[in-house]
Amino acid sequence: MRSRTARPEDVDFFLAQEARAEFQNFIFSSSREQHQQYMSSQDCQYFIFQNDENEDAIGYAILSGLTSPHGNICLVRIVMAKPGQGYGKQALRLLLDWVFKEYKAHRFWLDVFEDNHRARHVYQSVGFREEGLLREVVKQQDKYASQVVMSILEQEYFQQVSEKI
């Protein structure tokens, strides 16, 4: 798997993934204009994941907090077009490398819906730890959903890397 910086023509892929019914209660969606605005921000970075340079996108991720003086980068969204095939874990490993090696972040964090057990498992498998619960923070149709805050610190990431060597 490889990653590249997203381009304006990738917005259609983001919109198509965010419109999928099976993702409705697990990811937020943005309008075309919001994606275009975020993509032009110095505080955000969009990544496209592909199996091969010439292949179609298999997923994307959005990071924010790149200009934070505290070294905290947020994984705003990660979406794989075909969940359950291991692509999410591979993409997270690429993001971890970028966040800690290239950007020199101190902390990489995210929030995930409490009932998104698959995603929580994948995040934990690459070193994220649960920090707390944001109780009933998002209204979804006629109910409120809670989110779990997870993070991995710089020293935890580099310890994992050194243990694999």
Side-chain angles (χ1 to χ4, degrees):
M1 175 181 286
R2 65 180 296 275
S3 67
R4 66 167 170 81
T5 300
R7 299 183 289 257
E9 58 268 24
D10 294 318
V11 172
D12 288 335
F13 176 71
F14 309 149
L15 295 172
Q17 296 308 307
E18 292 169 3
R20 292 172 56 177
E22 65 266 35
F23 294 162
Q24 181 179 359
N25 290 326
F26 294 129
I27 64 168
F28 291 107
S29 60
S30 300
S31 68
R32 178 178 300 280
E33 294 75 26
Q34 288 170 319
H35 278 300
Q36 290 168 338
Q37 180 182 0
Y38 299 149
M39 287 178 79
S40 65
S41 168
Q42 290 184 357
D43 194 56
C44 294
Q45 176 74 49
Y46 276 65
F47 290 93
I48 288 287
F49 302 104
Q50 300 169 291
N51 277 331
D52 186 3
E53 190 172 335
N54 299 320
E55 281 193 18
D56 291 336
I58 59 171
Y60 75 97
I62 307 169
L63 304 183
S64 70
L66 303 183
T67 60
S68 166
H70 308 291
N72 285 280
I73 294 179
C74 176
L75 176 57
V76 175
R77 190 171 307 143
I78 185 168
V79 179
M80 293 292 113
K82 296 179 181 177
Q85 300 198 10
Y87 295 138
K89 188 181 286 190
Q90 291 177 51
L92 282 168
R93 288 186 178 129
L94 291 173
L95 291 172
L96 285 163
D97 286 347
W98 186 86
V99 164
F100 291 115
K101 292 179 179 176
E102 301 299 322
Y103 197 78
K104 311 283 190 236
H106 171 68
R107 180 174 174 265
F108 189 26
W109 72 279
L110 58 91
D111 50 45
V112 58
F113 285 103
E114 183 180 31
D115 61 348
N116 191 346
H117 302 291
R118 178 190 305 211
R120 287 172 64 188
H121 172 75
V122 172
Y123 296 138
Q124 289 172 333
S125 74
V126 297
F128 282 85
R129 296 183 187 180
E130 293 187 0
E131 293 184 345
L133 182 67
L134 301 170
R135 299 181 319 140
E136 297 186 0
V137 69
V138 176
K139 188 168 186 177
Q140 294 178 331
Q141 294 86 36
D142 60 346
K143 67 179 179 84
Y144 285 91
S146 298
Q147 291 185 306
V148 176
V149 176
M150 301 179 78
S151 74
I152 181 170
L153 301 177
E154 172 183 24
Q155 64 267 25
E156 295 165 343
Y157 167 75
F158 282 110
Q159 182 178 350
Q160 276 183 189
V161 170
S162 69
E163 289 172 359
K164 290 180 182 177
I165 296 175

